[in-house]
Amino acid sequence: MAIPETIRAVVIKEVRWCASVTEIPIPKLEDDEVLVQVKAVAQILPIRNVYFLQFILMVGYPGTILGCDFSGIVAAVGPSLTTSVKVGDQVAGFVQGGHFKDRGAFAEYLKAPADLVWVVPKGTLSHEEAATLGCGFWTAVQALFHPTRLGLTESPAKVEGEKWVFVYGGSTSVGLFAIQLLAAAGYKVATVSSPRNFELVKSLGATVVFDYKSPNALDQIIAATTPGGGIIGALNTQGASDGQLLAVKAFGPEGKGKVVTILGPKDEAVAYNPNVTIQPTLIYTALGREFNFGEVFPASKEDKDHMAAFLTKVPELVKSGAIKPNRVKLWEGGLDGIEGGLAYMKEGKLSAEKLVYKI
């Protein structure tokens, strides 16, 4: 495979709120990295990505490459690589776009640590489908299974007995993957979503699903889970105050446990039941690299090692059908179409699907 010296990528400009397709040098590999010829990229769903994009454009980071979720073909490997990833493999993964000048998914080629990509089994997922198993999937893995988050049982192991977990936002990207991961490990899943997505979340393994806008949602959750001993943990996939509060209330007035959320704890939820802990999680820590996201987050070897170990399980989970991709909404134009796709997403038109671009 001939590797070019320069590539096209979506890069943040010096002027705030501006990013465009730009010619840049191809990233140089470190010893333990792989170079991937990108075939498809996906946008993070939906509000979180808009907030993230606006944040990084507002504060600057000029010259950095946007984009997080990708699928592609390994074009080269670092000289000290010890993993089984090889040139020609289809791989997928997640990188931290918008923070580094040589790292980002919205590009013709990207580089990533070899132990933080997973090989897509032949005959399973297309590049467009595999690209959806990025930020949302990784966030669900970290929130549910990391020992310092919910610390639940990971598939292929099975939890013993009837154990309930509540997922707020079952039709978000994080929620759809969380439901599948929990079902694969034998958990009962209670969730809420819009009624139009009930069938989808049930098909992926939700035991019960209720309308998140219903005034009876809390009573329905408690009635469904109490015979099984109540919920043992909860994941708030959206971070808003109402979702956090419902997740805390779902434990019942005497309940104890932990809610993991993608945004920081909200005062009302924290005050409601002091026996329920609210813990935020931020998936970028799994990349094992220091970064600044309004505050400096140090590199976390523990988070990176946990994710790298879980990614070795993903090919079999995909091959067995235990994990299915998000629904794909293909957006035309490749890298040049991303600006239009971001504007479309900002209008709030997406529901239970991901915008994906062929590169």
Side-chain angles (χ1 to χ4, degrees), residues 234 243-252 259 269-270 272-273 276-278:
Q244 282 192 20
L245 184 59
L246 181 61
V248 171
K249 289 181 175 180
F251 285 85
V259 177
V270 171
Y272 182 81
N273 183 349
V276 176
T277 303
I278 302 176

Side-chain angles (χ1 to χ4, degrees), residues 52-260:
F52 172 68
L53 177 68
Q54 290 178 340
F55 173 81
I56 60 177
L57 291 178
M58 180 179 68
V59 299
Y61 305 111
T64 63
I65 306 168
L66 286 177
C68 296
D69 301 349
F70 69 90
S71 175
I73 301 296
V74 176
V77 300
S80 298
L81 192 63
T82 58
T83 66
S84 60
V85 180
K86 61 185 184 300
V87 172
D89 283 342
Q90 179 187 350
V91 295
F94 166 74
V95 293
Q96 188 171 3
H99 279 74
F100 305 102
K101 293 184 177 181
D102 59 350
R103 298 176 190 276
F106 293 169
E108 293 174 326
Y109 285 78
L110 63 79
K111 68 174 185 174
D115 58 352
L116 291 181
V117 300
W118 59 277
V119 177
V120 181
K122 291 183 179 180
T124 56
L125 304 182
S126 67
H127 285 291
E128 294 76 25
E129 292 170 326
T132 72
L133 273 76
C135 182
F137 179 68
W138 283 40
T139 299
V141 170
Q142 185 185 70
L144 297 176
F145 302 133
H146 193 284
T148 67
R149 276 71 167 191
L150 288 181
L152 301 177
T153 299
E154 297 182 5
S155 179
K158 298 287 185 180
V159 67
E160 296 182 1
E162 183 174 316
K163 301 290 178 61
W164 282 89
V165 178
F166 175 60
V167 176
Y168 183 88
S171 61
T172 64
S173 180
V174 177
L176 294 171
F177 287 124
I179 289 168
Q180 295 180 78
L181 289 163
L182 289 165
Y187 288 95
K188 300 285 188 179
V189 182
T191 190
V192 292
S193 75
S194 298
R196 65 178 178 271
N197 293 318
F198 281 5
E199 184 177 345
L200 173 63
V201 297
K202 285 182 177 179
S203 72
L204 295 177
T207 311
V208 292
V209 56
F210 306 109
D211 185 352
Y212 76 103
K213 290 184 177 179
S214 170
N216 300 318
L218 177 61
D219 292 338
Q220 292 171 322
I221 294 164
I222 291 177
T225 60
T226 297
I231 67 171
I232 63 166
L235 170 59
N236 177 16
T237 72
Q238 296 177 330
S241 296
D242 53 354
Q244 282 192 20
L245 184 59
L246 181 61
V248 171
K249 289 181 175 180
F251 285 85
E254 306 298 326
K256 298 180 181 180
K258 180 187 286 187
V259 177
V260 172

Side-chain angles (χ1 to χ4, degrees), residues 279-303:
Q279 179 180 346
T281 196
L282 183 60
I283 192 54
Y284 303 120
T285 62
L287 295 171
R289 178 178 295 273
E290 181 182 293
F291 64 95
N292 189 324
F293 199 70
E295 63 178 283
V296 175
F297 288 80
S300 173
K301 184 177 185 301
E302 180 186 23
D303 287 4

